[in-house]
Amino acid sequence: MRTISSDPQAHQVVTSGTTRSMSLGKAYVTPRVAGVGQARTINRAQGGPLHRATSTGIVSALRGSKTFRIGRVTGGGTSRLMQRRTPPLQVGLPIRSWSARYVGRGRGGVEPMSSLSLEYLEFFVENASGSEQVEVAFTTPGQEPADGQWHLASWGAAGRAGARARIRVGPGALVLGDGTYQGWVRVTTPSERPVLPSGLVPIT
């Protein structure tokens, strides 16, 4: 006769060694460490702008200052008064009081005059009063008159700017052949005797 028996089943072992009871615990968050080494508590701080440092090293507070305008320096180094520069003296062309120009046959202009015509030719003399002695000469263009070429003339209209010297040209007076002549006027005063070229006179 056989004996029937059963093998008992063992529970799973939780730990090796001595079994300890498990108790509930709380988890805490560790504050952020500010530096390497020992943990320190971080306090809340207020941020503010730093004053601008006036030098390297120690920071010092800046005080308000006023800005002043510096006057213009008149020279380098020691200030000196500037004097106005006087330009060098210059001499221009001489100024003449007399001039003459051929104005033609009265109001007829300077168109050519016929050698058969008897007319007055006029020359305007600047600054003449009309009371001076006046003479007229006719030469080849580019040549000055000789002493024997001067002819006594008279004055016509006069004004503030000058007067007109007149000479009668043509048959029975001063005869000029066909050609182009240079006109000249000579005025005589107690202190002056200007000889004035006065343009070309065409005769046909």
Side-chain angles (χ1 to χ4, degrees):
M1 183 174 182
R2 294 178 62 183
T3 302
I4 299 173
S5 61
S6 61
D7 296 328
Q9 189 173 4
H11 293 285
Q12 184 177 1
V13 179
V14 178
T15 57
S16 299
T18 306
T19 302
R20 292 178 297 177
S21 59
M22 302 289 291
S23 59
L24 297 177
K26 293 183 179 181
Y28 297 92
V29 177
T30 304
R32 186 174 181 181
V33 179
V36 179
Q38 185 177 358
R40 293 177 295 175
T41 303
I42 298 177
N43 295 326
R44 180 177 296 177
Q46 294 182 350
L50 296 176
H51 292 289
R52 185 175 179 181
T54 57
S55 61
T56 305
I58 301 174
V59 178
S60 58
L62 293 177
R63 295 182 179 180
S65 61
K66 293 183 179 180
T67 302
F68 295 94
R69 195 174 205 180
I70 299 175
R72 185 174 181 181
V73 179
T74 58
T78 305
S79 298
R80 295 174 298 175
L81 293 177
M82 300 293 290
Q83 296 182 351
R84 185 174 181 180
R85 181 177 177 269
T86 303
L89 297 177
Q90 295 181 353
V91 178
L93 295 176
I95 299 175
R96 298 186 63 191
S97 300
W98 300 93
S99 68
R101 70 176 185 275
Y102 175 56
V103 294
R105 297 173 291 162
R107 298 183 180 179
V110 293
E111 69 273 7
M113 173 184 169
S114 171
S115 60
L116 302 178
S117 179
L118 177 63
E119 301 181 35
Y120 278 98
L121 298 183
E122 294 188 350
F123 303 84
F124 180 78
V125 182
E126 187 176 0
N127 292 326
S129 65
S131 61
E132 302 89 352
Q133 178 183 331
V134 61
E135 299 167 283
V136 174
F138 297 93
T139 66
T140 302
Q143 293 184 1
E144 294 183 343
D147 291 339
Q149 291 180 290
W150 290 106
H151 304 277
L152 190 63
S154 61
W155 292 106
R160 289 185 176 182
R164 290 194 177 195
R166 306 172 68 207
I167 188 168
R168 198 167 61 154
V169 176
L174 176 60
V175 177
L176 296 177
D178 293 349
T180 300
Y181 299 87
Q182 169 100 42
W184 297 82
V185 178
R186 183 168 70 179
V187 180
T188 302
T189 72
S191 59
E192 295 179 292
R193 197 181 191 188
V195 175
L196 312 169
S198 55
L200 298 180
V201 180
I203 302 294
T204 60

